[in-house]
Amino acid sequence: MTHATAQPLYDTYNRAALRFERGEGVWLITDQGDRYLDFAAGIAVNSLGHAHPHLVNALKTQADKLWHVSNVYEIPDQDRLGQRLVDNTFADKVFFTNSGAEALECAIKTARRYHYVNGHPERYRIITFEGAFHGRTLATIAAGGQAKYLEGFGPKVEGFDQVPFGDEKALKAAITPETAAILIEPVQGEGGLRPVPEESLRALRKICDDNGLLLILDEVQCGVGRTGKFFAHEWAGVTPDIVAVAKGIGGGFPMGACLATAEAAKGMTAGVHGTTYGGNPLAMAVGNAVLDVVLADGFLDHVRQIALHFKQGLASIVDRYPDVVSEVRGRGLLIGLKCVVPNTALIQALRDEHLLSVGAGDNVLRLLPPLIVTEDEAREGLARIETACERLSVANKQKSA
Ligand SMILES: *Cc1c(COP(=O)(O)O)cnc(C)c1O
């Protein structure tokens, strides 16, 4: 039997031939004992790095007491985490999920129910943007609108209208009496690290207010401290109606949340939505532990400070290797390097330097260090990125010579 026919897993991933056995902070260690600087962080998930003592302790302590009871009963740590999210954000209400896509599903359902209980069941359509990524469920691939994710899965879920990113005229033209909401990532992650300009986000808020629409933000990747504020939308000073969260809030434990104002959530009454696992005691123990760290005095200052130095270093690399990389993008520690070479070539060259990164759309390389990264570790990362760029640049020159 060949390896290809013997392997039991769906062939949905092209996996790198690396097997990690353990992690320590920003480092991942393979089963061969090789150490890699992890600037992918499980795709913006390991916000506090690997094996953070406070998270390990929270999970172990909870594991000894109680794992799961279902949402039939009260879960005190769910109330506590919900209250902390309410106290520290725009939100009045929270629904816990297991993933980002489920947080988005809840956000979409919340927006539709809002109009339904307002006597407008016809208002169910949601405007989204080209290059968006909202997850892989049937509704969220329809929301993301990317052909490569929709192909072969039957009719696209109804009710999503996509407009070009940054095209306010097209957006206004897309609003109809059936429109319920606008859904956008404050910083496009998968799409290539494109931040929505602050004035555009404020303009979206106004368009929503003028047309009775809800503003839904997908902060699954950019939320929970990643940009140097708890939520990326805080930079623009806008107040959303609904926000989807996941990734960083669990620090590696699968969890997500949908946050909403009391008004936006008013249609989500007993029995209309549910989840078996969402908000279970294990997830809540870890989520509360993540907030202990992220909300501590000075933590977000640290993220902003490191991000500034790291980006300055990257800008100098862009200056010196313009045949390899052309631009630094993103916000805080949600960083993109626009590549001149194929981004896959740079990802491989970085992996050869034992630094892990992730690709994104628009030929961008994503750098998502854990938020606990120190100045020294960031410098070490920059040195490795510099070496990789230098090697690719030398190879470029040899090719053209
Ligand atoms: C990852 C991601 C999702 C989907 O989250 P899952 O946990 O994979 O379902 C949704 N939106 C954005 C912006 C993401 O980055």
Side-chain angles (χ1 to χ4, degrees), residues 99-102 104 133-136 185 190 218 220-221 246-247:
S99 68
E102 285 170 285
L104 264 306
F133 181 80
H134 300 298
R136 297 291 203 108
E185 297 157 83
E190 287 262 327
D218 179 347
V220 168
Q221 191 161 155
K247 294 201 165 105

Side-chain angles (χ1 to χ4, degrees), residues 118-129:
N118 275 349
H120 289 288
E122 78 286 0
R123 296 188 77 165
Y124 67 91
R125 306 195 69 84
I126 294 174
I127 296 174
T128 65
F129 296 84

Side-chain angles (χ1 to χ4, degrees), residues 100-102 104-105 108 133-145 160:
E102 285 170 285
L104 264 306
E105 291 270 348
I108 294 162
F133 181 80
H134 300 298
R136 297 291 203 108
T137 60
L138 289 168
T140 55
I141 55 176
F160 298 95

Side-chain angles (χ1 to χ4, degrees), residues 85-147:
L85 288 169
V86 164
D87 290 345
N88 286 282
T89 72
F90 76 98
D92 306 308
K93 303 293 262 181
V94 183
F95 184 93
F96 288 107
T97 68
N98 310 291
S99 68
E102 285 170 285
L104 264 306
E105 291 270 348
C106 181
I108 294 162
K109 288 175 82 173
T110 301
R112 288 181 173 184
R113 279 288 295 193
Y114 165 80
H115 291 289
Y116 174 82
V117 299
N118 275 349
H120 289 288
E122 78 286 0
R123 296 188 77 165
Y124 67 91
R125 306 195 69 84
I126 294 174
I127 296 174
T128 65
F129 296 84
E130 284 173 11
F133 181 80
H134 300 298
R136 297 291 203 108
T137 60
L138 289 168
T140 55
I141 55 176
Q146 298 198 41

Side-chain angles (χ1 to χ4, degrees), residues 320-397:
R320 275 171 294 138
Y321 305 100
D323 59 328
V324 180
V325 282
S326 62
E327 190 194 344
V328 186
R329 292 184 181 177
R331 184 132 223 186
L333 288 176
L334 184 59
I335 302 169
L337 274 179
K338 170 85 176 156
C339 296
V340 178
V341 298
N343 62 354
T344 48
L346 185 53
I347 291 169
Q348 185 54 55
L350 289 172
R351 204 177 282 156
D352 294 342
E353 298 305 319
H354 284 198
L355 184 138
L356 304 173
S357 60
V358 216
D362 203 21
N363 201 34
V364 167
L365 172 108
R366 262 183 290 183
L367 293 163
L368 312 163
L371 308 182
I372 48 124
V373 64
T374 64
E375 293 277 358
D376 280 349
E377 290 158 348
R379 253 195 303 278
E380 178 62 33
L382 286 170
R384 291 176 189 215
I385 294 163
E386 163 119 38
T387 307
C389 288
E390 187 178 1
R391 278 203 295 112
L392 289 173
S393 180
V394 168
N396 275 345
K397 283 177 183 113

Side-chain angles (χ1 to χ4, degrees), residues 57-67 282:
N57 183 50
L59 185 59
K60 280 185 171 167
T61 305
Q62 186 60 45
D64 280 335
K65 292 198 287 191
L66 184 66
W67 290 19
L282 291 173

